Amino acid sequence: MATDESLNPFVIAQKQLDEAAEKLGLDDGTRQFLRWPMREFIVTLPVRMDDGKFQIFRGYRVQYNNARGPTKGGLRWHPDETIDTVRALAAWMTWKTAVVDIPLGGSKGGVTCSPKGMSEGEKERLARAYIRQVGRILGLTKDVPAPDVYTNPQIMAWMMDEYETIVQENHPGVITGKPIPVGGSEGRGDATARGGVYIVREACKVKDISPSETTYAVQGFGNAGQFAATLHPGILGGGKLVAASDSSGGVYNSNGMDPKKLVEYKQSNGRVSDFPESEPISNDDLLELDVDILYPAALENAIRADNAPGIKAKIICELANGPTTPEADNILFENGIYCLPDFLANAGGVTVSYFEQVQNSYNFYWQLEEVHKMLDTKMTKAFHSVYEMYERHKMGMRSAAYMVAVARVAEACKLRGWV
Ligand code: NAD
């Protein structure tokens, strides 16, 4: 792998911003301002563990930019969490909320910890300790967290409860991704994949691909990947799942596999491999299949300079965050592969989180159909605004999405008189 592929994520985020700013011709003051978070908050959290001893955790909250509205971004609990990963993720949230044009800014938070080794009680005490420190900079009009890697709806519920206990008021909108009985939204569970499949439908239209006849492969048959597999035929009016993989390996059938049966198989066996009526396929071979649509839905850096030249899919829908390295991205562009970039393709999750905040604000909850309809409208409009930029400048969809997003944030900063 080239050295520039293993850079600090915040350096990559700044480089991506620099490129968009250059293409947009932004003035130097605006560029410098958008290169850095507006506010960073670092806390030290003492938590009593089950053995009675205290463990001290480092926690972060980075509010990158709130020119377009209160900031929003998930909370990661991960052993490798650093201020720079949080800064990068907060920058990407700023561009993600802007590209789907929801009236929010971007932020991110995290705690450096190993949640796999923690009991439920320890997790609850850590969640509450985080809110006792960070709660003062959160709120529906300030900054609203959500789940991310190794955090979940239960952790969101504890955090909301701690916040409400401190302020002695009902504030469900202080956090999203909550369980439905305590103010969560219908349709949040599959929103990321659903949003991605909606824009694949739009991409097929502009690329003259018949949606109902598409073949597709899913790399990473987890939460996002399973939903993409099952939603694809319904939203596109057909389509054939020819391959899927998880960390145990992959399965392939050129005649197609029933996505619902594959989900059931994965849920009962914990893996996709050995699914009946399929043959094994390696993760590397899956990526190079001649399919219409490839959904990378596993981890970052799945598509790199070494395997990008072999990719034959017509459209890549990046449900995972950062599945394509910058070098691979250039190769895909030169080879005419149409790549729907992560911060557009997986923005369905934050869009429904925003709907959750709205419902919490007026204390009235929508039916599932309403959520789907609004999500479709938002994603479809976002796709077409990026597509228009792509057509106008003959650039990759990732660069086009950056230009749309950065221009919107820069305009809001200017209108406020900040730069
Ligand atoms: P998950 O843990 O449920 O699923 C990940 C899957 O990838 C697992 O099945 C795992 O076995 C598989 N995997 C791991 N390494 C692999 C490899 N080398 N090859 C093939 N498969 C491999 O996670 P998720 O929530 O579905 O998230 C997946 C990606 O989507 C992440 O990048 C995440 O940041 C992104 N994402 C998810 C959401 C969401 O709402 N779930 C929202 C935005 C972005």
Side-chain angles (χ1 to χ4, degrees), residues 192 219-224 245-247 266 283 297-298 319-321 346:
T192 301
Q219 188 227 18
F221 211 63
N223 185 14
S245 66
D246 58 23
S247 48
K266 163 95 183 173
N283 264 303
L319 293 178
N321 279 312
N346 68 30

Side-chain angles (χ1 to χ4, degrees), residues 79-114:
D80 301 332
E81 198 72 325
T82 67
I83 186 68
D84 274 348
T85 53
V86 184
R87 285 170 169 163
L89 290 159
W92 291 326
M93 280 306 300
T94 307
W95 317 135
K96 192 184 286 200
T97 54
V99 84
V100 280
D101 200 16
I102 52 182
L104 300 175
S107 57
K108 203 81 184 186
V111 175
T112 312
C113 64
S114 300

Side-chain angles (χ1 to χ4, degrees), residues 336-408:
I337 291 164
Y338 192 64
C339 188
L340 300 170
D342 50 6
F343 71 100
L344 169 65
N346 68 30
V350 72
T351 303
V352 175
S353 266
Y354 160 63
F355 295 161
E356 184 177 331
Q357 279 179 227
V358 173
Q359 294 167 80
N360 293 152
S361 291
Y362 57 73
N363 205 10
F364 180 81
Y365 290 82
W366 307 340
Q367 303 292 316
L368 181 61
E369 296 69 34
E370 186 77 357
V371 173
H372 289 169
K373 205 169 101 198
M374 305 258 249
L375 176 63
D376 195 352
T377 305
K378 273 281 171 211
M379 295 302 298
T380 300
K381 202 163 170 227
F383 171 83
H384 287 286
S385 49
V386 174
Y387 183 72
E388 195 184 302
M389 187 70 89
Y390 159 91
E391 279 285 275
R392 194 170 348 134
H393 294 277
K394 306 290 173 217
M395 53 175 43
M397 282 290 279
R398 192 180 319 274
S399 303
Y402 263 104
M403 283 182 73
V404 169
V406 173
R408 285 179 181 161

Side-chain angles (χ1 to χ4, degrees), residues 21-254:
E22 182 66 30
K23 285 178 189 140
L24 288 166
L26 291 188
D27 60 89
D28 193 53
T30 308
R31 279 182 207 211
Q32 294 308 324
F33 181 62
L34 294 180
R35 293 185 95 242
W36 287 94
M38 291 177 66
R39 189 205 298 242
E40 300 183 347
F41 208 60
I42 303 183
V43 293
T44 303
L45 308 170
V47 174
R48 193 189 289 276
M49 306 306 275
D50 291 347
D51 64 4
K53 293 186 185 141
F54 278 96
Q55 193 170 326
I56 311 301
F57 296 92
R58 294 288 271 176
Y60 312 92
R61 188 74 189 164
V62 172
Q63 298 173 340
Y64 199 87
N65 188 291
N66 66 355
R68 289 173 44 84
T71 51
K72 170 124 201 82
L75 285 173
R76 262 185 194 207
W77 285 8
H78 199 275
D80 301 332
E81 198 72 325
T82 67
I83 186 68
D84 274 348
T85 53
V86 184
R87 285 170 169 163
L89 290 159
W92 291 326
M93 280 306 300
T94 307
W95 317 135
K96 192 184 286 200
T97 54
V99 84
V100 280
D101 200 16
I102 52 182
L104 300 175
S107 57
K108 203 81 184 186
V111 175
T112 312
C113 64
S114 300
K116 280 186 179 169
M118 291 168 67
S119 70
E120 286 299 286
E122 289 169 343
K123 286 183 194 171
E124 177 174 354
R125 292 193 289 280
L126 176 60
R128 292 185 185 277
Y130 184 83
I131 292 301
R132 284 197 298 276
Q133 286 302 323
V134 179
R136 68 200 74 192
I137 60 163
L138 302 180
L140 200 45
T141 56
K142 298 184 201 168
D143 181 19
V144 177
D148 197 76
V149 177
Y150 295 140
T151 58
N152 57 30
Q154 175 62 73
I155 292 175
M156 301 304 112
W158 289 325
M159 289 186 166
M160 175 193 74
D161 182 69
E162 187 68 23
Y163 185 85
E164 291 184 345
T165 304
I166 293 166
V167 299
Q168 285 295 300
E169 278 172 24
N170 194 253
H171 277 277
V174 72
I175 204 152
T176 62
K178 300 179 293 294
I180 290 181
V182 287
S185 176
E186 293 286 352
R188 179 66 184 84
D190 69 7
T192 301
R194 180 175 287 276
V197 180
Y198 285 144
I199 65 166
V200 165
R201 179 196 62 204
E202 296 306 302
C204 286
K205 289 182 195 161
V206 301
K207 289 283 159 194
D208 273 335
I209 296 171
S210 167
S212 60
E213 289 161 32
T214 43
T215 52
Y216 63 105
V218 178
Q219 188 227 18
F221 211 63
N223 185 14
Q226 290 177 30
F227 279 125
T230 51
L231 290 169
H232 181 113
I235 293 173
L236 274 76
K240 209 159 65 177
L241 174 66
V242 295
S245 66
D246 58 23
S247 48
S248 75
V251 287
Y252 172 75
N253 185 337
S254 59

